[in-house]
Amino acid sequence: MEELLRTWDGENVLIRHDAETGAWIFLAVHDRTLGMALGGCRLNIYSSPEDGLRDALRLSRIMTFKWAASGLPFGGGKGVLAVPGLLTPAARERLLLRFADMVDSLGGRYGTGADLGTTARDMNVIGRRTRWVFGRTPDEGGSGDPGPWTALGVLSGIRAACAHVFGAAELTGRTVLIQGLGNVGGPLAQLLATAGAELLVSDAIPTRAAEIAAATGAHVVAPEHVYQTECDVFAPCAIGGILNARSIPRFRCRIVAGSANNQLEHDADALGLHRAAVLYVPDFVINAGGAIAHAGLELLGWDRPQVEARVRGLEPAVMEMLRSAAERAEPPQHEAMRRAERVIASAKEQVAV
Ligand code: PHE
């Protein structure tokens, strides 16, 4: 853990061991140059506390880039509740309340929301102890589940990537494989089916894959066959780290464009994909829909049509970004990182003046 913290470039991390549940709580604030840190709260089982901390550090960092890329005035932060196993509903609720107290202690330097393993109802619980929570259910005054907005953004990014690679944004007849059918993958499957795509779906929970397949007419792919399955677009919507030296040589897709955070195991894997002629749309660019919706609806005073226009605006934005990356013969990841870093650096300069 010392090594992880020493090599991290963020602001600070609040760490707590939760005696009742045995969970480790990590609340990482990465960068507030552009504004308050805003990012979801992940609840997950990790094989060690270090893995939970590593996830919090990397996730808070990617939130910084997500906000910078989306042009909104917020910074990067993330909460991780690294639980040792399944909790009873009552114990889980008490854990969320203690996390809420930690969020509140930062007095608005960090705001939380839903992520992998948490829901809008969990945000209602957190909202009992702090106002710095986004995405409560609409009846409690929140903007609800960010998943459908993230899915709409991913759809827009997939269209942009198809326009770039195949010369047409239309998805009729394009084969798209979704890995992970949770809060984002589920609604994305519906959107893609409506758009006429040939849909392949995969999930670690076989019944969930079967249900979505039945509802959308998709074919189910077994989790162990995902990476070598031929498709036009591979959309990772589950966990991070799946783009790596082991998976990339097996790929038989033209495009990788999905919602999972931190899809690249290492920075160098962006180059690996580029050399394998696989177009990778940077995760933090394409998965900003949920973040945009929370910020727009709860902080910036936008209505739903304004949010929708902004999220659909990812299509021309991604197209333009892919074009300039292609002109430089570079992986889009490099172009997107450079742009985000420039946004933050110029904001820092303004502060210095
Ligand atoms: N967890 C989602 C993300 O990683 C949505 C979210 C964004 C939640 C911002 C809270 C705050 O983008």
Side-chain angles (χ1 to χ4, degrees):
M1 293 225 226
E2 283 174 28
E3 183 60 21
L4 287 172
L5 291 166
R6 196 180 300 124
T7 52
W8 184 61
D9 61 350
E11 219 176 275
N12 49 41
V13 194
L14 219 53
I15 301 180
R16 184 182 203 275
H17 179 257
D18 189 65
E20 184 197 336
T21 58
W24 283 89
I25 305 178
F26 303 106
L27 197 170
V29 174
H30 180 260
D31 189 294
R32 291 181 301 129
T33 308
L34 301 177
M36 74 177 285
L38 198 51
C41 163
R42 176 168 292 199
L43 191 147
N44 200 14
I45 301 170
Y46 295 89
S47 43
S48 68
E50 299 89 277
D51 284 349
L53 174 62
R54 184 180 295 110
D55 214 19
L57 300 181
R58 296 190 69 196
L59 288 164
S60 66
R61 184 164 182 272
I62 204 174
M63 280 309 302
T64 299
F65 294 118
K66 195 180 301 191
W67 289 120
S70 67
L72 296 175
F74 302 101
K78 202 87 177 189
V80 163
L81 307 177
V83 293
L86 277 185
L87 303 176
T88 65
R92 193 171 178 283
E93 179 165 318
R94 288 192 294 271
L95 174 65
L96 288 170
L97 289 173
R98 288 188 288 269
F99 173 69
D101 288 337
M102 288 171 65
V103 172
D104 201 61
S105 76
L106 295 178
R109 286 204 295 281
Y110 165 75
T112 199
D115 196 73
L116 194 148
T118 57
T119 64
R121 276 214 227 116
D122 294 330
M123 298 309 118
N124 292 348
V125 172
I126 291 175
R128 305 211 301 254
R129 292 283 176 83
T130 181
R131 54 183 285 233
W132 302 111
V133 59
F134 299 86
R136 285 170 296 161
T137 57
D139 56 300
E140 300 235 350
S143 54
D145 177 9
W149 292 110
T150 309
L152 182 65
V154 172
L155 179 80
S156 308
I158 288 176
R159 285 177 51 91
C162 284
H164 186 81
V165 170
F166 304 114
E170 279 67 49
L171 299 177
T172 340
R174 292 264 169 257
T175 309
V176 185
L177 166 56
I178 308 178
Q179 178 188 45
L181 301 166
N183 294 343
V184 179
L188 179 64
Q190 291 291 347
L191 290 172
L192 285 167
T194 308
E198 291 289 326
L199 204 55
L200 304 173
V201 295
S202 187
D203 196 283
I205 306 169
T207 50
R208 185 146 83 169
E211 258 168 51
I212 301 269
T216 58
H219 292 284
V220 175
V221 174
E224 64 273 22
H225 293 143
V226 162
Y227 302 127
Q228 59 268 38
T229 296
E230 192 171 347
C231 56
D232 293 313
V233 182
F234 169 43
C237 298
I239 51 166
I242 64 283
L243 308 178
N244 55 50
R246 298 165 314 282
S247 64
I248 294 169
R250 289 150 74 189
F251 282 161
R252 290 163 69 201
C253 58
R254 294 293 307 279
I255 294 167
V256 174
S259 70
N261 280 314
N262 294 319
Q263 291 173 36
L264 297 168
E265 184 176 278
H266 300 292
D267 290 345
D269 294 316
L271 212 51
L273 287 160
H274 187 66
R275 294 202 176 117
V278 175
L279 183 79
Y280 168 58
V281 183
D283 46 8
F284 64 87
V285 175
I286 192 177
N287 74 9
I292 293 170
H294 279 343
L297 295 170
E298 298 196 38
L299 289 167
L300 303 171
W302 301 352
D303 59 18
R304 296 177 79 84
Q306 280 172 296
V307 170
E308 184 173 337
R310 185 87 182 207
V311 174
R312 286 191 188 275
L314 282 170
E315 182 175 331
V318 169
M319 274 189 73
E320 189 272 326
M321 199 263 297
L322 294 177
R323 215 176 296 127
S324 35
E327 274 161 19
R328 291 171 180 256
E330 268 191 347
Q333 174 80 7
H334 294 184
E335 176 75 22
M337 286 292 288
R338 194 169 43 239
R339 288 180 182 204
E341 275 160 0
R342 209 185 295 138
V343 169
I344 294 162
S346 78
K348 277 205 176 105
E349 256 167 50
Q350 278 172 13
V351 173
V353 171

